[in-house]
Amino acid sequence: MRRTVIAGNWKMNMTPSEAKKFITELAPMVKGLDKCDIVLCVPYVDIAVACEAAKGTNIHIGAENVHFAESGAYTGEVSAKMLTEIGTEYVIVGHSERRQYFGETDTTVNQRTKAALAAGLKVILCLGEVKDERLAGITDEVVAMQTKLDLAGITAEQLKNVIIAYEPVWAIGTGLTATPEQADETCGVIRSVVRDLYGAEAAEEITIQYGGSMNDANARELLSKPNVDGGLIGGASLKTDKFTSIVLAANA
Ligand code: 13P
């Protein structure tokens, strides 16, 4: 049966000392809550400190992006091997903020995903429609196309290390949340594309998260939906009490 995964995406927040303090405070709060996997995706410079602070706890550490090349002249980028060597287990790829502000396309998202998987990282692959696409009634087509393009060339074996995060762009950081029904329906569309590409078993096994203003107040209802297997949480992952409430909702 597929795992529920509650992951924080800190974005460009928290210094290394703040990260250490946060994880030290969070660890006893989530201790023993084993009905979901708990992940914090943190800025590159926080990863080493975060891994150290999370040692011996049930908190796993991820990065927020990764480059597709093994090494080379890519100023400012970080390779998958650099991440694994310092203990990183997960990486977010294709976040809408990367697509929107840093020119990421489905092609580069696919390349980054492949490089991360080849290095042994677990990938949280983000996709989702923008507001105009939802209003135009083409959400299903948009997420289906992103799913196909972003997963191109990824084997069924590799897919076991992929989590898909459905993040409607209009719901990110806006306080607007998809209704539980919208989240369930669109996660279901993504699951049906995975079924077409990889078969029924893979579709049943893959974890599909919802992300977009998920918080302590709405998590339980969103997570109760059959196609929603967890959350990718921005703002509410920056407070230990709010994040713990979401982990508790996933353990209810
Ligand atoms: P918020 O939870 O702040 O809306 O951010 C969601 C997100 O982008 C997670 O990746």
Side-chain angles (χ1 to χ4, degrees), residues 5-10 37-41 90 92 124 163 209-210 230-234 237 243 246-247:
V5 180
I6 300 297
N9 172 11
W10 281 0
D37 292 337
I38 303 168
V39 183
L40 290 175
C41 296
Y90 290 78
I92 294 173
I124 300 177
I163 292 165
Q209 301 173 313
Y210 167 78
L232 184 57
I233 298 118
S237 75
F243 190 67
I246 299 171
V247 173

Side-chain angles (χ1 to χ4, degrees), residues 5-9 37-41 60-66 89-96 99 109 113 116-117 121-127 150-151 161-167 207-211 231-233:
V5 180
I6 300 297
N9 172 11
D37 292 337
I38 303 168
V39 183
L40 290 175
C41 296
H60 301 267
I61 303 301
E64 298 177 12
N65 199 12
V66 62
E89 288 181 76
Y90 290 78
V91 64
I92 294 173
V93 176
H95 192 277
S96 68
R99 295 177 190 252
V109 170
T113 301
L117 291 169
L121 289 161
K122 294 187 175 79
V123 171
I124 300 177
L125 171 62
C126 301
L127 50 89
D150 296 351
L151 292 177
N161 285 319
V162 176
I163 292 165
I164 296 178
Y166 165 56
E167 299 208 301
T207 295
I208 304 180
Q209 301 173 313
Y210 167 78
L232 184 57
I233 298 118

Side-chain angles (χ1 to χ4, degrees), residues 134-154:
R134 175 143 301 255
L135 292 177
I138 56 169
T139 296
D140 294 2
E141 289 82 352
V142 169
V143 298
M145 183 59 76
Q146 287 176 325
T147 305
K148 283 181 201 154
L149 295 173
D150 296 351
L151 292 177
I154 285 157

Side-chain angles (χ1 to χ4, degrees), residues 157-179:
E157 197 52 36
Q158 288 178 315
L159 190 74
K160 292 177 182 161
N161 285 319
V162 176
I163 292 165
I164 296 178
Y166 165 56
E167 299 208 301
V169 179
W170 49 270
I172 295 176
T174 57
L176 294 173
T177 316
T179 64

Side-chain angles (χ1 to χ4, degrees), residues 139-245:
T139 296
D140 294 2
E141 289 82 352
V142 169
V143 298
M145 183 59 76
Q146 287 176 325
T147 305
K148 283 181 201 154
L149 295 173
D150 296 351
L151 292 177
I154 285 157
T155 66
E157 197 52 36
Q158 288 178 315
L159 190 74
K160 292 177 182 161
N161 285 319
V162 176
I163 292 165
I164 296 178
Y166 165 56
E167 299 208 301
V169 179
W170 49 270
I172 295 176
T174 57
L176 294 173
T177 316
T179 64
E181 291 70 29
Q182 285 172 328
D184 188 50
E185 190 187 329
T186 311
C187 288
V189 170
I190 296 166
R191 199 178 302 287
S192 72
V193 176
V194 172
R195 188 174 300 116
D196 292 344
L197 294 172
Y198 295 96
E201 199 180 319
E204 276 311 305
E205 286 295 315
I206 194 164
T207 295
I208 304 180
Q209 301 173 313
Y210 167 78
S213 302
M214 188 186 268
N215 58 39
D216 46 327
N218 60 29
R220 190 184 275 252
E221 215 189 333
L222 286 160
L223 294 170
S224 73
K225 292 294 176 188
N227 279 304
V228 178
D229 312 318
L232 184 57
I233 298 118
S237 75
L238 296 169
K239 297 267 179 276
T240 51
D241 54 345
K242 287 196 163 80
F243 190 67
T244 300
S245 295

